Amino acid sequence: MRVLFVTTEMDDFVRVGGLGAVSAALPRALRPFADIRIMLPGYRDIIEQLTHIQIVGRCPAFAEMPACSLGRAATKDGLPVYVLLCSQLYDRPGNPYGDESGRDWPDNDIRFARFASAAAELAMGKLDKNWAADLVHANDWQASLVPAYLAWRGAKVPSILTIHNLAYQGLFPRDSLRRIGVPESSFHIDGVEFYDQLSFLKAGLVYASHLTTVSGTYAREITTTEFGCGLEGLLRLRSDASELTGILNGIDESWDPRSCAQLAQQFGAGDWVGKRANADYVRKQFGLAVSRGPMFGIVARLVHQKGIDLVLSAADEIVDAGGQIVVTGSGEPALEQALIDAHRRRPDAIGVVIGFNDAQARRIFAGSDFTLMPSRFEPCGLSQMYAQRFGSLPIGHQTGGLAETITDGETGFLFSRPSRESFLGGVRRAFSAFMAHDQLDTMRRSAMGRSFSWSISAGSYSALYRKLASA
């Protein structure tokens, strides 16, 4: 079965958030089930890393979108990758979505519509003369127009859209319709229109054959007013028609502290001396005081969704109780600055590095006793899975994938509301467990024994692919 996996991030080449990790791991887990090929925009970082790109097709200019070429290459382990080559759209500094100061590119509508239009052409067999898709798997708003372009061109290729985070919708002014060749007739409440704007994500929600999201809990949550971001009515319709499925993400096999090469010292369950060696290393790296108290780690995008403000409001109580906090990530400038200010106030107990480095993140999970995840909502979340495998007990808000992957009181701690008091309730329970050595030992062993294998997710996706392809 031939599957085109359309994404704008892949950890092999470029990563902004969890989508990059999923796009690197899930297609690989699906290889036993399908001829799966990835399609990516030809960002500068990707072109520089691919050693041999063969041009297999060309897309003529369309509406106000420039002509481009389609290249085919492969990852080091042989996974086929298509890249859309158009230097005026993708050869830029910054990240895939914005400039070096974090501002979205003003032509993101053209950048990602061009990408989606080309993906539809590839799926239909019009670009690579040797390959067409039996099914398209599109991811998030940037690829959400793929099912729409397929429908507008009368193609019978079934499609899945995976919603990794409903809060990011790809909204553009009505004038974008003309720029990217979207039929005016689709601009209405049951089409691509969302409060008089063009919504890329809504287009996918309307036109995809099936919708998935990254946990069963989030699949239910997004049909409610609280979490539906204004799209809950449409999502309820799709859910009631059995066209919305939650499939939990996994994590790859490299998240094993017994073999992870980036750690200061490898360790397994019960080897708490090895875990402490990582804690000592992290304290030294972050300039923290020597301590026998618990270390709380945060590895996250520093945005309002992640509840970073709740951590800041509770930081003094954590430190006054003998805890230390280490943070790595990047995001909203105001939250970055607030964390830096907290570090300056308590440099011996609060360590902050703005930016993301995979090896450093792994050492924080390995060295910390607890991982803080007070997210207001969390479609799936990966950090709580990484943390458990590395013996760092997550403290998370009971929402989305956190509710599904943290067993309260056994592998971590859940709290009920995204408020300072509720969050501190979870933190206080963690302090109590830290003092009760037998409980801490039992919980760490339980957490490290969890399996979050991608093979489970891949099996569910494979079954869904076959169902849709045979419909």
Side-chain angles (χ1 to χ4, degrees), residues 99-134:
D99 62 23
E100 289 160 307
S101 56
R103 290 185 298 267
D104 285 353
W105 296 113
D107 61 346
N108 271 349
D109 54 345
I110 285 181
R111 296 176 76 234
F112 295 114
R114 174 74 281 187
F115 176 59
S117 171
E121 295 286 308
L122 173 60
M124 295 164 68
K126 294 185 176 181
L127 288 182
D128 183 344
K129 68 179 189 299
N130 295 314
W131 198 82
D134 298 312

Side-chain angles (χ1 to χ4, degrees), residues 365-429:
F365 287 125
S368 60
D369 300 290
F370 305 102
T371 292
L372 299 176
M373 296 195 69
S375 304
R376 287 178 165 79
F377 64 94
E378 192 62 73
C380 177
L382 297 174
S383 287
Q384 79 279 10
M385 300 189 220
Y386 300 150
Q388 288 174 77
R389 294 287 294 137
F390 279 35
S392 179
L393 306 177
I395 303 168
H397 174 211
Q398 192 164 357
T399 186
L402 300 180
E404 240 164 89
T405 53
I406 301 168
T407 307
D408 187 44
E410 289 183 24
T411 68
F413 303 93
L414 292 169
F415 58 92
S416 58
R417 293 182 309 283
S419 67
R420 179 179 183 273
E421 269 314 303
S422 188
F423 170 52
L424 273 171
V427 170
R428 290 170 191 141
R429 290 174 65 204

Side-chain angles (χ1 to χ4, degrees), residues 15 17 20 34 46 57 76 126 143 172 230 235 247 251 268 294 317 323 336 356 398 406 410 435 446 469:
R15 176 179 185 166
I46 294 178
K76 290 185 178 72
K126 294 185 176 181
F172 299 95
L235 288 161
I247 299 175
I251 59 175
E317 179 163 330
E336 291 181 356
F356 181 81
Q398 192 164 357
I406 301 168
E410 289 183 24
M435 301 304 292
S446 295

Side-chain angles (χ1 to χ4, degrees), residues 117-322:
S117 171
E121 295 286 308
L122 173 60
M124 295 164 68
K126 294 185 176 181
L127 288 182
D128 183 344
K129 68 179 189 299
N130 295 314
W131 198 82
D134 298 312
L135 179 138
V136 174
H137 186 161
N139 293 272
D140 266 352
W141 74 262
Q142 298 90 345
S144 287
L145 283 182
V146 182
Y149 281 123
L150 286 169
W152 295 327
R153 290 166 187 172
K156 301 298 183 194
V157 184
S159 57
I160 290 174
L161 172 65
T162 296
I163 307 157
H164 296 266
N165 192 331
L166 191 67
Y168 298 94
Q169 298 185 15
L171 298 174
F172 299 95
R174 182 172 183 161
D175 187 51
S176 283
L177 296 174
R178 173 180 50 79
R179 285 154 53 88
I180 64 175
V182 173
E184 276 281 347
S185 59
S186 69
F187 193 78
H188 54 81
I189 194 168
D190 295 319
V192 302
E193 184 265 338
F194 185 76
Y195 294 97
D196 206 38
Q197 290 183 292
L198 163 64
S199 168
F200 276 41
L201 183 66
K202 190 181 176 195
L205 300 184
V206 168
Y207 289 104
S209 312
H210 197 95
L211 308 176
T212 70
T213 190
V214 288
S215 70
T217 306
Y218 192 59
R220 292 188 295 276
E221 287 177 341
I222 59 176
T223 64
T224 68
T225 305
E226 184 180 0
F227 295 101
C229 301
L231 295 164
E232 60 273 6
L234 171 56
L235 288 161
R236 267 198 304 273
L237 285 173
R238 300 294 316 249
S239 179
D240 291 346
S242 300
E243 294 167 350
L244 170 61
T245 305
I247 299 175
L248 190 69
N249 283 340
I251 59 175
D252 68 61
E253 300 303 320
S254 71
W255 290 92
D256 186 338
R258 296 169 300 181
S259 56
C260 181
Q262 288 98 325
L263 301 190
Q265 187 172 318
Q266 294 166 351
F267 67 99
D271 176 11
W272 309 134
V273 173
K275 184 164 174 65
R276 177 161 286 281
N278 285 282
D280 292 342
Y281 183 92
V282 170
R283 284 190 174 96
K284 193 170 180 182
Q285 288 292 104
F286 280 79
L288 302 182
V290 175
S291 172
R292 287 285 166 185
M295 184 192 297
F296 296 82
I298 302 174
V299 178
R301 283 184 299 116
L302 306 178
V303 295
H304 180 71
Q305 174 207 332
K306 299 292 184 179
I308 305 300
D309 55 311
L310 298 179
V311 176
L312 287 161
S313 72
D316 285 340
E317 179 163 330
I318 291 171
V319 171
D320 291 344

